[in-house]
Amino acid sequence: MSGESVLENVRRYRAIASLHRQTAAFRPVQRASLLAQAQEWEECAMKELEAYFKACESPVRARSQQNRPHDTLEVPAYVYPPNWEMRAAA
């Protein structure tokens, strides 16, 4: 599945969830059911994204493990500069 089709599916799922939430605002008797359905659609969107990124990531991860074991992985200094804790606190 292509990235564009995954994003389109996610957009649709979230649009449906949004409609359920909007409808819940105007139908207090059905609110709990509508909000539960909205949550289910949001979960579908997240599962779709997770599955896509796991599928994309697995070939990259397999190559990186073949080329270099994790225990020798060096993180560049610009990712975590030595004084990053002080910057976060400031």
Side-chain angles (χ1 to χ4, degrees), residues 61-69 72:
R61 183 174 289 169
R63 281 190 304 237
S64 68
Q65 287 177 351
Q66 290 172 353
N67 296 339
R68 189 172 183 181
T72 61

Side-chain angles (χ1 to χ4, degrees), residues 35-52:
L35 291 176
Q37 290 176 42
Q39 182 62 34
E40 289 174 11
W41 284 107
E42 288 289 344
E43 289 171 8
C44 286
M46 289 302 297
K47 287 178 185 176
E48 183 97 8
L49 283 172
E50 288 172 355
Y52 174 73

Side-chain angles (χ1 to χ4, degrees), residues 14-88:
R14 289 195 169 150
I16 293 169
S18 178
L19 289 173
H20 279 81
R21 286 190 295 272
Q22 290 173 15
T23 305
F26 295 105
R27 296 188 178 189
V29 175
Q30 299 166 331
R31 179 172 291 161
S33 171
L34 289 165
L35 291 176
Q37 290 176 42
Q39 182 62 34
E40 289 174 11
W41 284 107
E42 288 289 344
E43 289 171 8
C44 286
M46 289 302 297
K47 287 178 185 176
E48 183 97 8
L49 283 172
E50 288 172 355
Y52 174 73
F53 283 112
K54 282 182 184 176
C56 289
E57 184 180 88
S58 58
V60 172
R61 183 174 289 169
R63 281 190 304 237
S64 68
Q65 287 177 351
Q66 290 172 353
N67 296 339
R68 189 172 183 181
H70 287 291
D71 59 342
T72 61
L73 183 65
E74 296 175 19
V75 178
Y78 64 84
V79 174
Y80 295 108
N83 58 351
W84 68 275
E85 292 150 344
M86 295 302 291
R87 288 186 201 171

